[in-house]
Amino acid sequence: MLGTLIPSFPERLFGRQIPSGSQWRKKLRFWGSVRIVAVLVLGICSCADKEGYPHDLSYPQRADLIVEESPKLNPNNPSPPGGLEKSIANLALVGGKILDPIKLPEATQAEITKLLDEQFGTPAQPRVGNGKAELGDLGKKLKLDSQTLAQGSVAYRRNCLHCHGLSGDGKGSSGLWVHPPPRDFRQGRFKFISTNPAKNLNRPRREDILRTLRMGLHGTSMPAFGILPLEELEALASYVIHLGIRGEVEFSIEKTLLKPQSQVINLFENFLPDEEVSKAQETLTYFVPKFVKEIVGQYHTAESQILIPPEYPFKDSELSDSIKRGFRLFSSQAPDALGCVSCHIDYGRQSPWQYDEWGSLNRPSNLTAGIYKGGRRPLDLFWRIKRGIPPSKMPAATLTGEDEVKKTWDLVNFIEALPYPATLPEEVRNAVYGPTRRIAKPN
Amino acid sequence: MHRFWSLLFATVNLACLALLVVAFACPELGWWLPDSASTQAIEIDSLFYLITALCGFFFVATEGILIYSLWKFPSTAPGNPKPIHGHLGLEIGWTIAPLVGLLVITAASLPVWQAARYQGIPTSTLPGNSETSPDADQVILVTARQWDWHLKYATEPLSSEGIRQWAAEGTPSDLVVANELHVWKGAKVSLLLRTTDVIHSFFVPALRLKQDTLPGKTIPMRFEATVSNVRFDPAEGRVVPTDTKGSWEIACAELCGGNHFRMRGKLFVHPDRKSYDAWLDHSKRQTRSRSLTAMVPQAASSIQKDGFTQ
């Protein structure tokens, strides 16, 4: 081939005479040509196929362990890079409960896959619902129509795939090597949400997902995607919800079926009317669409259930007193204290590692660092306090009494000022940073 | 066929020259330099032209001699050409000529470097120094991480001495924005570059500004934009492009990991301080406000109000 075009190619490669017709000469000529062709082919390949997943690709069946319950014990160290899967497999040794979806009968596994593909399509043509009228206009309202999802899947492949993985399992090629591990969407659980806890909805609003996309999660490896066009961000949010719902259906069914003597009925007795329960008991085919509709409905309800922060009750001059009260609430000494400090030990500087719902490790935030994963706006802090971070075991603050509103804002004010020693009242500063810490004089 | 190499070299060289001419003559193709939008851009571009001219001259000259020699003395030509090895005059010539060339380049580039890197940098940001120096109109702390830029804007005036402390501790009222650099035309902007993980490089082609960020260091930079590309539209609540220039890119110019390619931001140069202040006020309202309705005006009407009490 190319080697033959330039007769002296092998000599030029090695700078010495090689007998013509020898085995060596043929080999050199062959590999030299291969090298040139490979460069050309790679060049051409990198120009092609910039858009979307291949059409014959389907979502892989869940094969990794399901964490049913993470251990209560606090470990000393996080799992080493790339060792998350191994550490999840060992959770049972330290008091966790894990289930292995591979143990399901093969026929059941195949049925689940078939039903999921029917409801959620393929990575190239994602959808939510099987296209029949089951979902009504819920899908449209939540922007889960197939056009938006297809756009989202292209953007996801380009921006998210290498950490969050094809099925949203957080095990993309880079995902294994970062800490905290990228979110596994397949339980439909999100950490930073602003929905009303009174409605018992552990769902994010689209706006919560968009905030994470726009600003990233500071303090983790999730970067900010704010310069992508708004349309693309919206499509990404839709696609993440799609992966979340798909994963959650799979997760819930497998988790239920893997429990001893369980039946599909356990899954949906909460939301199906009695006469339908008996029908659903017979078959997953009947159950899955109902379940999808239920989850989509929850996401939809969450949209209107924002937890509205009450009016800020303080004047600027009252800030210092508010910070002092917030400091007392945060501590564990005062009678009405919340004891935040018992997890955020030493204001988070010595927080212990603990397991979250996904079986990975995190630790309560170091609040003196001024790095807030869920956002640094006062409203973000408000939502974290009032809403908690359920999947990582941070409880919502239980503030009661007529001072509830004031107390909440006291906490927000304290946490917002905490990283800036110069702005803290002296007694608080001494308590947090010690009297010896040199504070440079403000100008 | 025996003149194959001379023809090949001649073709490739002519093609390269033709490309250069096309790139220069047709700026709309975007093959030449990007927009230049800062005071130092013009000087750095002049340096580029000087170096290109010098190197171009010698490149054309040497390639010309090479092609001529290949044409004139192919391997099939009878006899041997006269060797020039040991020609004292030639050797002195090709030692002196590059030396002069390099000295010219050095003399031309030192003042540009000095202006771009040291003039107007608040000396208080340099370690072990607290002297006063010309005040910057704007101080922005740029923190690079894998893989985005966090830009922290001081929203209250800072004295030269205060910059260092602010960079170290900040205040609760700072505005933190991801990947968006907002300045106004004519503002003396002081940047402080930092990284939380690996080495990145803050590169704004339109400003001709490029500086590595090194772990453990705070590196000061300075620039002044001369052209604006956006203005803030209060009605829409966002910046809108004012001309076809549209957006200027900020890129990471140091391979920093798997997602290096998308570690990008945008430079927004407002026409005047008024537009910038409007943007700053808007952003502060969006991010520092303690009331949802101040942040999202439509929230009050469209969202159910049964939120708070439990």
Side-chain angles (χ1 to χ4, degrees):
Chain A
M1 288 204 344
L2 275 170
T4 52
L5 286 182
I6 305 167
S8 53
F9 185 76
E11 280 81 10
R12 283 175 197 280
L13 204 67
F14 272 75
R16 63 186 164 91
Q17 193 65 36
I18 294 161
S20 64
S22 74
Q23 207 58 19
W24 250 99
R25 196 182 170 89
K26 277 181 193 156
K27 265 190 193 166
L28 281 175
R29 207 173 259 184
F30 175 73
W31 286 112
S33 315
V34 166
R35 200 168 58 168
I36 292 170
V37 171
V39 168
L40 289 175
V41 168
L42 280 178
I44 292 164
C45 284
S46 67
C47 302
D49 190 32
K50 275 184 183 161
E51 304 299 314
Y53 291 106
H55 281 265
D56 52 355
L57 182 71
S58 57
Y59 285 113
Q61 195 178 342
R62 179 167 184 147
D64 52 332
L65 296 169
I66 288 175
V67 180
E68 191 194 356
E69 203 182 307
S70 52
K72 305 272 181 296
L73 275 174
N74 290 345
N76 293 327
N77 290 305
S79 50
L84 180 62
E85 211 143 344
K86 200 174 159 196
S87 106
I88 287 180
N90 288 335
L91 282 186
L93 302 177
V94 284
K97 285 185 192 163
I98 46 174
L99 299 168
D100 189 353
I102 298 293
K103 287 184 183 153
L104 283 173
E106 267 178 33
T108 317
Q109 290 189 31
E111 193 189 356
I112 295 174
T113 309
K114 186 177 144 267
L115 286 169
L116 287 174
D117 286 351
E118 234 172 72
Q119 291 286 324
F120 299 100
T122 62
Q125 286 162 316
R127 59 172 183 262
V128 174
N130 53 8
K132 294 174 197 151
E134 302 251 3
L135 284 183
D137 57 350
L138 276 184
K140 241 328 184 238
K141 279 186 191 160
L142 260 176
K143 299 190 188 166
L144 293 178
D145 53 295
S146 48
Q147 198 187 345
T148 312
L149 285 177
Q151 197 190 348
S153 119
V154 172
Y156 182 89
R157 180 177 185 254
R158 193 181 305 144
N159 295 301
C160 323
L161 175 70
H162 71 100
C163 276
H164 287 286
L166 178 61
S167 60
D169 57 5
K171 296 190 177 74
S173 49
S174 318
L176 299 172
W177 310 104
V178 299
H179 190 91
R183 183 55 52 238
D184 175 356
F185 303 128
R186 294 173 307 166
Q187 304 189 24
R189 296 283 267 151
F190 293 85
K191 272 169 127 177
F192 306 113
I193 55 182
S194 61
T195 38
N196 189 349
K199 306 284 170 183
N200 210 13
L201 273 176
N202 278 322
R203 299 289 175 198
R205 296 163 53 240
R206 282 181 67 87
E207 189 50 44
D208 297 332
I209 297 176
L210 285 170
R211 195 216 68 83
T212 302
L213 286 171
R214 273 197 294 264
M215 288 302 289
L217 298 175
H218 209 185
T220 76
S221 300
M222 168 82 184
F225 291 86
I227 59 167
L228 293 185
L230 185 62
E231 199 193 353
E232 208 169 322
L233 290 176
E234 291 274 4
L236 275 174
S238 296
Y239 190 69
V240 166
I241 293 177
H242 155 88
L243 287 179
I245 300 177
R246 188 193 170 278
E248 187 176 350
V249 172
E250 188 180 32
F251 170 82
S252 311
I253 294 176
E254 290 185 347
K255 192 169 126 178
T256 314
L257 294 181
L258 278 164
K259 283 182 195 163
Q261 293 167 351
S262 68
Q263 291 169 323
V264 186
I265 186 172
N266 300 350
L267 271 167
F268 49 70
E269 53 196 3
N270 295 332
F271 68 88
L272 282 186
D274 282 349
E275 65 273 16
E276 291 196 9
V277 167
S278 57
K279 269 201 260 175
Q281 225 169 329
E282 294 165 16
T283 161
L284 279 172
T285 320
Y286 183 82
F287 165 70
V288 169
K290 301 268 176 198
F291 193 40
V292 173
K293 189 180 175 189
E294 169 71 14
I295 299 177
V296 175
Q298 287 182 12
Y299 274 98
H300 182 248
T301 316
E303 285 300 299
S304 60
Q305 296 299 333
I306 182 171
L307 177 63
I308 299 203
E311 204 164 314
Y312 185 66
F314 303 121
K315 297 189 200 86
D316 284 352
S317 57
E318 295 169 315
L319 182 64
S320 169
D321 287 334
S322 171
I323 292 175
K324 284 183 201 165
R325 285 195 302 271
F327 167 66
R328 278 196 294 278
L329 281 169
F330 192 89
S331 73
S332 53
Q333 281 122 32
D336 59 345
L338 293 164
C340 310
V341 80
S342 62
C343 284
H344 293 271
I345 294 173
D346 193 16
Y347 305 94
R349 286 173 296 201
Q350 298 179 48
S351 298
W353 291 103
Q354 53 189 32
Y355 288 101
D356 59 20
E357 262 186 24
W358 293 274
S360 52
L361 288 170
N362 61 21
R363 53 179 160 193
S365 174
N366 174 4
L367 294 169
T368 63
I371 293 172
Y372 308 102
K373 295 192 190 75
R376 53 183 290 124
R377 299 175 300 183
L379 292 182
D380 292 320
L381 300 181
F382 167 84
W383 280 318
R384 292 302 85 73
I385 291 169
K386 285 301 290 181
R387 195 64 189 74
I389 308 175
S392 71
K393 294 184 184 163
M394 166 155 167
T398 46
L399 292 159
T400 48
E402 55 195 50
D403 282 348
E404 186 189 348
V405 170
K406 281 189 176 173
K407 280 178 179 171
T408 315
W409 283 118
D410 287 340
L411 262 179
V412 172
N413 285 338
F414 168 65
I415 290 168
E416 199 181 20
L418 190 52
Y420 309 103
T423 61
L424 289 172
E426 199 180 344
E427 54 173 284
V428 177
R429 182 166 63 225
N430 287 344
V432 177
Y433 293 100
T436 50
R437 186 189 148 103
R438 194 180 62 85
I439 304 296
K441 276 185 194 140
N443 293 285
Chain B
M1 196 58 203
H2 56 271
R3 294 225 160 88
F4 173 79
W5 290 109
S6 61
L7 286 172
L8 181 71
F9 273 70
T11 319
V12 170
N13 276 293
L14 282 175
C16 289
L17 284 176
L19 268 181
L20 189 78
V21 171
V22 171
F24 184 73
C26 312
E28 65 274 11
L29 287 174
W31 293 355
W32 201 242
L33 299 179
D35 294 338
S36 74
S38 72
T39 45
Q40 72 199 36
I42 300 152
E43 294 170 15
I44 288 176
D45 286 357
S46 323
L47 261 189
F48 169 80
Y49 288 122
L50 173 72
I51 295 172
T52 309
L54 265 176
C55 296
F57 171 76
F58 285 104
F59 179 76
V60 170
T62 44
E63 289 298 301
I65 294 170
L66 176 71
I67 293 162
Y68 170 78
S69 311
L70 286 169
W71 181 266
K72 187 83 183 165
F73 310 106
S75 57
T76 50
N80 285 328
K82 193 183 162 204
I84 51 163
H85 183 75
H87 193 298
L88 188 65
L90 265 180
E91 282 184 1
I92 290 175
W94 70 49
T95 309
I96 298 288
L99 180 70
V100 173
L102 284 176
L103 283 175
V104 169
I105 293 175
T106 311
S109 56
L110 275 179
V112 179
W113 179 255
Q114 195 260 351
R117 303 307 307 275
Y118 297 110
Q119 257 170 32
I121 298 272
T123 43
S124 72
T125 57
L126 305 171
N129 202 335
S130 63
E131 255 172 65
T132 311
S133 66
D135 277 331
D137 294 321
Q138 243 190 309
V139 184
I140 302 168
L141 178 70
V142 182
T143 309
R145 66 178 191 117
Q146 287 171 317
W147 293 278
D148 57 20
W149 308 96
H150 272 240
L151 295 100
K152 188 157 91 171
Y153 294 76
T155 54
E156 282 149 23
L158 291 168
S159 70
S160 301
E161 300 87 17
I163 291 177
R164 215 173 152 197
Q165 189 204 334
W166 173 79
E169 295 197 343
T171 69
S173 65
D174 297 332
L175 176 68
V176 179
V177 178
N179 295 333
E180 289 184 19
L181 177 57
H182 287 259
V183 300
W184 71 90
K185 193 174 134 186
K188 294 182 176 66
V189 185
S190 188
L191 292 180
L192 301 168
L193 301 179
R194 265 195 203 155
T195 168
T196 57
D197 36 50
V198 300
I199 301 177
H200 300 274
S201 183
F202 188 75
F203 181 31
V204 194
L207 299 175
R208 308 287 189 271
L209 179 139
K210 187 196 266 181
Q211 170 61 48
D212 280 13
T213 63
L214 304 177
K217 282 196 160 191
T218 302
I219 301 173
M221 290 294 285
R222 172 91 166 192
F223 71 88
E224 189 181 324
T226 51
V227 186
S228 86
N229 64 341
V230 294
R231 68 185 167 80
F232 182 74
D233 185 340
E236 289 201 45
R238 62 186 181 90
V239 289
V240 290
T242 43
D243 59 21
T244 48
K245 286 194 170 60
S247 65
W248 288 325
E249 190 187 20
I250 299 170
C252 178
E254 177 70 56
L255 182 60
C256 60
N259 234 357
H260 162 69
F261 73 96
R262 62 153 301 278
M263 185 168 169
R264 293 155 75 185
K266 279 182 183 170
L267 166 69
F268 298 104
V269 184
H270 294 259
D272 48 30
R273 179 151 200 173
K274 213 178 112 211
S275 167
Y276 170 81
D277 281 344
W279 168 80
L280 190 69
D281 279 350
H282 173 79
S283 305
K284 274 176 82 175
R285 208 162 45 245
Q286 288 282 310
T287 55
R288 307 308 311 153
S289 165
R290 285 166 148 68
S291 148
L292 193 64
T293 42
M295 201 171 85
V296 197
Q298 67 272 27
S301 55
S302 67
I303 295 166
Q304 282 173 268
K305 273 215 151 188
D306 57 351
F308 189 64
T309 47
Q310 292 176 24

